[in-house]
Structures are given as structure tokens and as C-alpha cells.
Amino acid sequence: MKRLIVALDTSDLGQAKRWADQVAPSAGVLKVGLEYFLAHGEAGYRAVGDTPIFLDLKLHDIPNTVAGAVRSVLGLQPKMLTIHAGGGPAMIAAARDAASRSAAPPLILAVTVLTSMDAAALRAVGIDRSPAEQVLKLATMAVAAGADGLVCSPHEVGLLRQALPLSVRLVVPGIRPAGSERDDQARTMTAQIAAEIA
């Protein structure tokens, strides 16, 4: 099974298609994010080839609106779709219910704490827990509400593997080669170390 998800993090259609072609032999899934999807919509989504797509829109709104948004993308048949765990159990359940109406429902992945956020960033939005504590709180709630999996930094993989059933999928951004730029990511790890703890 190919565990690698490759992010097509660009708004350039040609670049996304080139990356998709280059990584197709190794990637199990391609991630199409908000920037690219807003720039190119359905046509851009379909242009990146036949590899399964992780549609990373991080939906976060009232339950009815999120359910409607999920229904709106079911025709694209994404393999995975993200919502924010911070939207709460009713929103997560509404997303799960909307997804289940599809013959090939996407996995609903709840984003816990963005990898760009550290303890100081959490305090700035009124959360006094550490990133790990907040991830665990949101993850437990999201799975109970019906999420198929979670998006977490590599630093929380071990914690979540101990706390949750193995059937819960973990998608782990913030993987960087040793010595590379972290960009705006605060909680990163190399691929080798992440694979060892997964």
C-alpha cells in the first residue's frame, strides 16, 4: 500500500499537472488544497490525473452549511475530505452524514491543530492547553462524532495511536527532509522519524 500523500501546493495549473505526473508512480494520493481548488475548481481538480485525490478544504461552518459543502463535492469523488474538528461534534456528524449519501463516500478527516500553531499561537486564541493536549481533546471528540480519521502533526502520532483505535486514519502533514526550510510550519519532523513512530 502506498502511504505517501503528495501535496500539490500551488495555484499554477501547469505546475500541478507536472508534479502529479512526476510523483504518480510513488504517491498513493495527491492532495489538492484550498489555493489550487479556488483557482481552478472542478476542471483543475480533474486535470491532475487518475491518482486518488485528498481534497483539503478544511471546511468549518455551521453544520447545515458544511453538510451542503460536502454534498457539493461528492461528484468529484475525493478519497479524503477535510473539516476542522474545532467546528464541534454536530458539524462533524453533519459532514459524515452528508458524505455517507455517496456510493463512494470520502473519508472525513478532522483537522486537529494546524501544524503552523505552537503553544503561543494557541494561547493567542484563548486555548491554554499544550498542542498535544488540544490535539488529543479534539481528536477524541471528532472520532466519537463520526470522523474517519484525523490530521495531526507528526509530534502527536504516538499519542493518538495509544489513545484511539487503530482503525482511525492519521494523515500527517509537516513532513520535511532534514535541513529543509520549515516555511510557516511550527511542528515538523523528517520522513524517517515519522515513519518509525507511525
Side-chain angles (χ1 to χ4, degrees), residues 89-166:
M91 189 201 80
I92 294 165
R96 171 75 274 145
D97 181 63
S100 70
R101 311 296 172 107
S102 171
L107 296 174
I108 297 296
L109 304 178
V111 177
T112 53
V113 175
L114 296 171
T115 54
S116 60
M117 298 187 79
D118 57 15
L122 286 176
R123 285 194 299 273
V125 295
I127 297 169
D128 290 328
R129 286 181 287 273
S130 70
E133 291 168 330
Q134 181 67 0
V135 166
L136 182 59
K137 180 175 181 62
L138 289 172
T140 304
M141 175 273 297
V143 169
D148 299 298
L150 304 159
V151 179
C152 64
S153 94
H155 293 270
E156 291 90 41
V157 169
L159 173 69
L160 295 181
R161 280 287 175 239
Q162 290 180 359
L164 299 170
L166 286 176

Coordinates of all heavy atoms in Angstrom, one line a residue, residues 89-166:
P89 N -18.9 18.6 17.5 CA -19.5 17.3 17.1 C -20.7 17.4 16.2 O -20.8 16.5 15.3 CB -19.9 16.7 18.5 CG -19.9 17.8 19.4 CD -18.9 18.8 18.9
A90 N -21.5 18.4 16.3 CA -22.7 18.4 15.4 C -22.2 18.7 13.9 O -22.8 18.1 13.0 CB -23.7 19.5 15.8
M91 N -21.2 19.5 13.8 CA -20.7 19.8 12.4 C -20.1 18.6 11.8 O -20.3 18.2 10.6 CB -19.7 21.0 12.4 CG -19.3 21.5 11.1 SD -17.7 22.4 11.1 CE -16.6 21.0 11.1
I92 N -19.3 17.9 12.6 CA -18.6 16.7 12.2 C -19.6 15.6 11.8 O -19.5 14.9 10.7 CB -17.6 16.1 13.3 CG1 -16.5 17.2 13.5 CG2 -17.1 14.8 12.9 CD1 -15.7 16.9 14.7
A93 N -20.6 15.4 12.6 CA -21.7 14.4 12.3 C -22.4 14.8 11.1 O -22.8 13.9 10.3 CB -22.6 14.3 13.5
A94 N -22.7 16.1 10.9 CA -23.4 16.5 9.6 C -22.5 16.2 8.4 O -23.1 15.8 7.3 CB -23.7 18.0 9.7
A95 N -21.2 16.4 8.5 CA -20.3 16.1 7.4 C -20.3 14.6 7.1 O -20.4 14.2 5.9 CB -18.9 16.6 7.7
R96 N -20.2 13.8 8.1 CA -20.2 12.4 8.0 C -21.5 11.9 7.3 O -21.5 11.1 6.4 CB -20.0 11.7 9.4 CG -20.2 10.3 9.5 CD -19.0 9.5 8.9 NE -19.2 9.3 7.5 CZ -18.2 9.3 6.6 NH1 -17.0 9.5 6.9 NH2 -18.4 9.1 5.3
D97 N -22.6 12.4 7.8 CA -23.9 12.0 7.2 C -24.0 12.4 5.8 O -24.5 11.6 4.9 CB -25.1 12.7 8.0 CG -26.4 12.3 7.5 OD1 -26.7 11.1 7.6 OD2 -27.2 13.1 7.0
A98 N -23.6 13.6 5.4 CA -23.7 14.1 4.0 C -22.8 13.2 3.2 O -23.2 12.8 2.0 CB -23.2 15.5 3.9
A99 N -21.6 12.9 3.6 CA -20.7 12.0 2.9 C -21.2 10.6 2.6 O -21.0 10.0 1.6 CB -19.3 11.9 3.6
S100 N -22.0 10.1 3.6 CA -22.5 8.8 3.5 C -23.6 8.6 2.4 O -23.9 7.5 2.1 CB -23.1 8.3 4.9 OG -24.3 9.0 5.2
R101 N -24.0 9.7 1.9 CA -25.0 9.7 0.8 C -24.4 9.3 -0.5 O -25.1 9.0 -1.5 CB -25.7 11.0 0.6 CG -26.3 11.7 1.9 CD -27.4 10.8 2.6 NE -27.7 11.3 3.9 CZ -28.8 12.0 4.1 NH1 -29.7 12.2 3.1 NH2 -29.1 12.4 5.3
S102 N -23.1 9.2 -0.6 CA -22.4 8.9 -1.8 C -22.2 7.4 -1.9 O -22.0 6.7 -0.9 CB -21.0 9.6 -1.9 OG -20.2 9.1 -2.9
A103 N -22.2 6.9 -3.2 CA -21.9 5.5 -3.4 C -20.5 5.1 -3.0 O -20.1 4.0 -2.7 CB -22.2 5.1 -4.8
A104 N -19.6 6.2 -3.1 CA -18.2 6.0 -2.8 C -17.8 7.2 -1.8 O -17.2 8.1 -2.2 CB -17.3 6.0 -4.0
P105 N -18.3 7.1 -0.6 CA -18.1 8.2 0.4 C -16.6 8.5 0.6 O -15.8 7.5 0.8 CB -18.8 7.8 1.6 CG -18.9 6.3 1.5 CD -19.0 6.0 0.1
P106 N -16.2 9.8 0.7 CA -14.8 10.1 1.1 C -14.6 9.8 2.5 O -15.6 9.9 3.3 CB -14.7 11.6 0.7 CG -16.1 12.1 0.9 CD -17.0 11.0 0.4
L107 N -13.4 9.6 2.9 CA -13.0 9.6 4.3 C -13.1 11.0 4.8 O -12.6 12.0 4.2 CB -11.6 9.1 4.5 CG -11.3 7.6 4.1 CD1 -9.9 7.3 4.2 CD2 -12.2 6.7 4.9
I108 N -13.8 11.2 5.9 CA -13.9 12.5 6.6 C -12.8 12.6 7.6 O -12.8 11.9 8.6 CB -15.3 12.8 7.2 CG1 -16.4 12.7 6.2 CG2 -15.3 14.1 8.0 CD1 -16.3 13.9 5.2
L109 N -11.9 13.6 7.3 CA -10.7 13.8 8.2 C -10.9 15.1 8.9 O -11.1 16.1 8.3 CB -9.4 13.8 7.4 CG -9.1 12.6 6.5 CD1 -7.9 12.9 5.7 CD2 -9.0 11.3 7.3
A110 N -10.8 15.0 10.3 CA -10.9 16.2 11.1 C -9.5 16.8 11.4 O -8.6 16.1 11.9 CB -11.6 15.8 12.4
V111 N -9.3 18.0 11.0 CA -8.1 18.7 11.3 C -8.1 19.1 12.8 O -9.0 19.7 13.3 CB -7.9 20.0 10.5 CG1 -6.7 20.7 10.8 CG2 -8.0 19.6 9.0
T112 N -7.0 18.7 13.5 CA -7.0 18.9 15.0 C -6.4 20.3 15.2 O -7.1 21.3 15.3 CB -6.2 17.8 15.7 OG1 -4.9 17.7 15.0 CG2 -7.0 16.5 15.6
V113 N -5.1 20.4 15.3 CA -4.4 21.7 15.5 C -3.5 21.9 14.3 O -2.6 21.0 14.0 CB -3.6 21.7 16.8 CG1 -2.8 23.0 16.9 CG2 -4.5 21.6 18.0
L114 N -3.6 23.0 13.6 CA -2.8 23.2 12.4 C -1.3 23.1 12.8 O -0.9 23.6 13.9 CB -3.1 24.6 11.9 CG -4.5 24.9 11.3 CD1 -4.7 26.4 11.0 CD2 -4.7 24.0 10.1
T115 N -0.5 22.6 11.8 CA 0.9 22.4 12.1 C 1.7 23.7 12.2 O 2.8 23.8 12.7 CB 1.6 21.5 11.1 OG1 1.3 22.0 9.8 CG2 1.1 20.1 11.2
S116 N 1.0 24.8 11.8 CA 1.6 26.1 11.9 C 1.5 26.7 13.4 O 2.1 27.7 13.7 CB 1.0 27.1 10.9 OG -0.4 27.2 11.2
M117 N 0.7 26.0 14.2 CA 0.4 26.6 15.5 C 1.3 25.9 16.6 O 1.4 24.6 16.6 CB -1.0 26.4 15.9 CG -1.9 27.2 14.9 SD -3.7 27.2 15.5 CE -3.6 28.4 16.7
D118 N 1.9 26.7 17.5 CA 2.6 26.2 18.7 C 1.8 26.6 19.9 O 0.7 27.2 19.8 CB 4.0 26.6 18.7 CG 4.2 28.2 18.6 OD1 3.2 28.9 18.8 OD2 5.3 28.6 18.4
A119 N 2.4 26.4 21.1 CA 1.7 26.8 22.3 C 1.3 28.2 22.4 O 0.3 28.6 22.8 CB 2.5 26.3 23.5
A120 N 2.3 29.1 21.9 CA 2.0 30.5 22.0 C 0.8 30.9 21.0 O 0.0 31.7 21.4 CB 3.3 31.3 21.5
A121 N 0.8 30.3 19.9 CA -0.3 30.6 19.0 C -1.7 30.1 19.5 O -2.7 30.8 19.4 CB -0.1 29.9 17.6
L122 N -1.7 29.0 20.2 CA -2.9 28.5 20.9 C -3.3 29.5 22.0 O -4.5 29.8 22.1 CB -2.7 27.1 21.5 CG -2.7 26.0 20.5 CD1 -2.4 24.6 21.2 CD2 -4.0 25.9 19.7
R123 N -2.4 29.9 22.8 CA -2.7 30.9 23.8 C -3.3 32.2 23.3 O -4.2 32.8 23.8 CB -1.5 31.2 24.7 CG -1.1 30.1 25.6 CD -0.1 30.6 26.7 NE 1.2 31.1 26.1 CZ 2.2 30.3 25.8 NH1 2.2 29.0 26.1 NH2 3.3 30.9 25.3
A124 N -2.8 32.6 22.1 CA -3.3 33.8 21.4 C -4.8 33.7 21.1 O -5.5 34.7 21.0 CB -2.5 34.1 20.2
V125 N -5.3 32.5 20.9 CA -6.7 32.3 20.6 C -7.5 31.7 21.8 O -8.6 31.2 21.6 CB -6.9 31.4 19.3 CG1 -6.4 32.1 18.1 CG2 -6.3 30.0 19.5
G126 N -6.9 31.9 23.0 CA -7.6 31.6 24.2 C -7.6 30.1 24.6 O -8.4 29.7 25.5
I127 N -6.6 29.3 24.1 CA -6.5 27.9 24.5 C -5.2 27.8 25.3 O -4.1 28.0 24.8 CB -6.5 27.0 23.3 CG1 -7.8 27.1 22.5 CG2 -6.2 25.6 23.6 CD1 -7.8 26.5 21.1
D128 N -5.4 27.3 26.6 CA -4.3 27.2 27.5 C -3.6 25.8 27.5 O -2.6 25.6 28.2 CB -4.7 27.6 28.9 CG -5.0 29.1 29.0 OD1 -4.3 29.9 28.3 OD2 -5.8 29.5 29.8
R129 N -4.2 24.9 26.8 CA -3.6 23.6 26.7 C -2.4 23.6 25.8 O -2.3 24.4 24.9 CB -4.7 22.6 26.2 CG -5.7 22.2 27.2 CD -6.7 21.2 26.7 NE -7.6 21.8 25.7 CZ -8.7 22.4 26.0 NH1 -9.1 22.5 27.3 NH2 -9.5 22.9 25.1
S130 N -1.5 22.6 26.0 CA -0.4 22.4 25.0 C -1.0 21.9 23.7 O -2.1 21.4 23.6 CB 0.6 21.4 25.6 OG 0.0 20.1 25.5
P131 N -0.2 22.0 22.6 CA -0.7 21.5 21.3 C -1.1 20.0 21.4 O -2.1 19.6 20.9 CB 0.5 21.7 20.4 CG 1.2 22.9 20.9 CD 1.1 22.8 22.4
A132 N -0.3 19.2 22.1 CA -0.6 17.8 22.3 C -1.9 17.6 23.0 O -2.7 16.7 22.6 CB 0.6 17.0 23.0
E133 N -2.1 18.3 24.1 CA -3.4 18.2 24.9 C -4.6 18.6 24.0 O -5.6 17.9 24.1 CB -3.3 19.0 26.1 CG -2.3 18.5 27.2 CD -2.0 19.5 28.3 OE1 -2.1 20.7 28.0 OE2 -1.7 19.0 29.4
Q134 N -4.4 19.7 23.3 CA -5.5 20.1 22.4 C -5.8 19.2 21.3 O -7.0 18.9 21.0 CB -5.2 21.5 21.9 CG -6.3 22.1 21.0 CD -7.6 22.5 21.8 OE1 -7.7 22.3 23.0 NE2 -8.6 23.0 21.1
V135 N -4.8 18.6 20.7 CA -4.9 17.6 19.6 C -5.7 16.4 20.2 O -6.7 15.9 19.6 CB -3.6 17.2 19.1 CG1 -3.7 15.9 18.2 CG2 -3.0 18.3 18.2
L136 N -5.3 15.9 21.4 CA -6.0 14.8 21.9 C -7.5 15.1 22.2 O -8.3 14.2 22.0 CB -5.3 14.3 23.2 CG -5.8 13.1 23.9 CD1 -5.8 11.9 22.9 CD2 -5.0 12.7 25.1
K137 N -7.7 16.2 22.8 CA -9.1 16.6 23.1 C -10.0 16.6 21.8 O -11.1 16.1 21.8 CB -9.1 17.9 23.8 CG -10.6 18.4 24.2 CD -10.5 19.7 25.0 CE -11.9 20.2 25.4 NZ -12.6 19.2 26.2
L138 N -9.5 17.3 20.8 CA -10.2 17.4 19.6 C -10.3 16.1 18.8 O -11.4 15.8 18.3 CB -9.6 18.5 18.6 CG -9.7 19.9 19.1 CD1 -8.8 20.8 18.2 CD2 -11.1 20.4 19.1
A139 N -9.3 15.3 18.9 CA -9.3 14.0 18.2 C -10.3 13.1 18.8 O -11.1 12.4 18.1 CB -7.9 13.4 18.3
T140 N -10.3 13.0 20.1 CA -11.3 12.1 20.8 C -12.7 12.5 20.5 O -13.6 11.7 20.2 CB -11.0 12.1 22.3 OG1 -9.6 11.8 22.6 CG2 -11.9 11.2 23.0
M141 N -13.0 13.8 20.5 CA -14.3 14.3 20.2 C -14.7 14.0 18.8 O -15.8 13.6 18.5 CB -14.4 15.8 20.5 CG -15.7 16.5 20.1 SD -15.7 17.1 18.4 CE -14.4 18.3 18.4
A142 N -13.7 14.3 17.8 CA -14.0 14.1 16.4 C -14.3 12.7 16.1 O -15.3 12.4 15.3 CB -12.9 14.6 15.6
V143 N -13.6 11.7 16.6 CA -13.8 10.3 16.3 C -15.1 9.9 16.9 O -15.9 9.2 16.2 CB -12.6 9.5 16.8 CG1 -13.0 8.0 16.8 CG2 -11.4 9.8 16.0
A144 N -15.5 10.3 18.1 CA -16.8 10.0 18.7 C -17.9 10.5 17.8 O -19.0 9.9 17.8 CB -16.8 10.5 20.1
A145 N -17.7 11.7 17.2 CA -18.7 12.3 16.3 C -18.8 11.7 14.9 O -19.7 12.1 14.2 CB -18.5 13.8 16.2
G146 N -17.9 10.8 14.6 CA -18.0 10.1 13.3 C -16.9 10.4 12.3 O -17.0 9.8 11.2
A147 N -15.9 11.1 12.7 CA -14.8 11.3 11.7 C -14.1 10.0 11.5 O -13.9 9.2 12.4 CB -13.8 12.3 12.3
D148 N -13.7 9.8 10.2 CA -12.9 8.5 9.9 C -11.5 8.6 10.2 O -10.8 7.6 10.4 CB -13.0 8.3 8.4 CG -14.5 8.1 7.9 OD1 -15.1 7.2 8.3 OD2 -14.9 8.9 7.1
G149 N -11.0 9.8 10.3 CA -9.6 10.0 10.6 C -9.3 11.4 11.0 O -10.2 12.2 11.2
L150 N -8.0 11.7 11.2 CA -7.6 13.0 11.8 C -6.4 13.5 11.0 O -5.6 12.7 10.4 CB -7.1 12.8 13.2 CG -8.2 12.1 14.1 CD1 -7.6 11.5 15.4 CD2 -9.3 13.2 14.5
V151 N -6.2 14.8 11.0 CA -5.0 15.4 10.5 C -4.3 16.0 11.7 O -4.8 16.7 12.5 CB -5.3 16.5 9.5 CG1 -4.0 17.2 9.0 CG2 -6.1 16.0 8.3
C152 N -3.0 15.5 11.9 CA -2.3 15.9 13.1 C -0.8 16.1 12.7 O -0.4 15.6 11.7 CB -2.4 14.9 14.2 SG -1.7 13.3 13.8
S153 N 0.0 16.8 13.5 CA 1.4 16.9 13.2 C 2.1 15.6 13.6 O 1.5 14.8 14.3 CB 2.0 18.0 14.0 OG 2.6 17.6 15.2
P154 N 3.3 15.3 13.0 CA 4.0 14.1 13.4 C 4.2 13.9 14.9 O 4.4 12.8 15.4 CB 5.3 14.1 12.6 CG 5.4 15.6 12.1 CD 4.0 16.1 12.1
H155 N 4.3 15.0 15.6 CA 4.6 15.0 17.0 C 3.4 14.4 17.8 O 3.7 13.9 19.0 CB 4.8 16.4 17.6 CG 6.1 17.0 17.0 ND1 7.3 16.9 17.6 CD2 6.3 17.7 15.9 CE1 8.2 17.5 16.9 NE2 7.7 18.0 15.8
E156 N 2.2 14.3 17.3 CA 1.1 13.7 18.0 C 0.7 12.3 17.6 O -0.2 11.7 18.1 CB -0.1 14.6 17.9 CG 0.0 15.9 18.7 CD 0.6 17.0 17.8 OE1 0.2 17.1 16.6 OE2 1.4 17.8 18.3
V157 N 1.4 11.7 16.6 CA 1.1 10.4 16.1 C 1.1 9.4 17.2 O 0.2 8.6 17.4 CB 2.0 10.0 14.9 CG1 1.8 8.5 14.6 CG2 1.7 10.9 13.7
G158 N 2.2 9.3 18.0 CA 2.3 8.3 19.0 C 1.2 8.4 20.1 O 0.6 7.4 20.5
L159 N 0.9 9.6 20.5 CA -0.1 9.9 21.4 C -1.5 9.4 20.9 O -2.2 8.7 21.7 CB -0.2 11.4 21.7 CG -1.3 11.9 22.6 CD1 -1.1 11.5 24.0 CD2 -1.4 13.5 22.5
L160 N -1.8 9.7 19.7 CA -3.1 9.3 19.2 C -3.2 7.8 18.9 O -4.2 7.2 19.1 CB -3.4 10.1 17.9 CG -3.6 11.6 18.1 CD1 -3.9 12.3 16.7 CD2 -4.6 11.9 19.1
R161 N -2.1 7.2 18.5 CA -2.1 5.8 18.3 C -2.3 5.0 19.6 O -3.0 4.0 19.6 CB -0.7 5.3 17.7 CG -0.6 5.5 16.2 CD -1.5 4.5 15.5 NE -1.6 4.8 14.0 CZ -2.6 5.1 13.3 NH1 -3.8 5.1 13.9 NH2 -2.6 5.2 12.0
Q162 N -1.9 5.6 20.7 CA -2.1 5.0 22.0 C -3.6 5.2 22.5 O -4.2 4.3 23.2 CB -1.2 5.5 23.1 CG 0.3 5.1 22.9 CD 1.2 5.7 24.0 OE1 0.7 6.4 24.8 NE2 2.4 5.3 23.9
A163 N -4.1 6.3 22.1 CA -5.4 6.7 22.7 C -6.6 6.3 21.9 O -7.7 6.2 22.4 CB -5.5 8.3 22.8
L164 N -6.4 6.0 20.6 CA -7.5 5.8 19.7 C -7.4 4.4 19.0 O -6.3 3.9 18.9 CB -7.6 6.9 18.6 CG -7.8 8.3 19.1 CD1 -7.6 9.3 18.0 CD2 -9.2 8.5 19.7
P165 N -8.5 3.9 18.5 CA -8.5 2.6 17.8 C -7.6 2.7 16.5 O -7.5 3.7 15.9 CB -9.9 2.4 17.3 CG -10.8 3.2 18.3 CD -9.9 4.4 18.6
L166 N -7.0 1.6 16.2 CA -6.1 1.5 15.0 C -6.8 1.8 13.7 O -6.2 2.2 12.7 CB -5.4 0.2 14.9 CG -4.2 0.0 15.9 CD1 -3.7 -1.4 15.8 CD2 -3.1 1.0 15.8

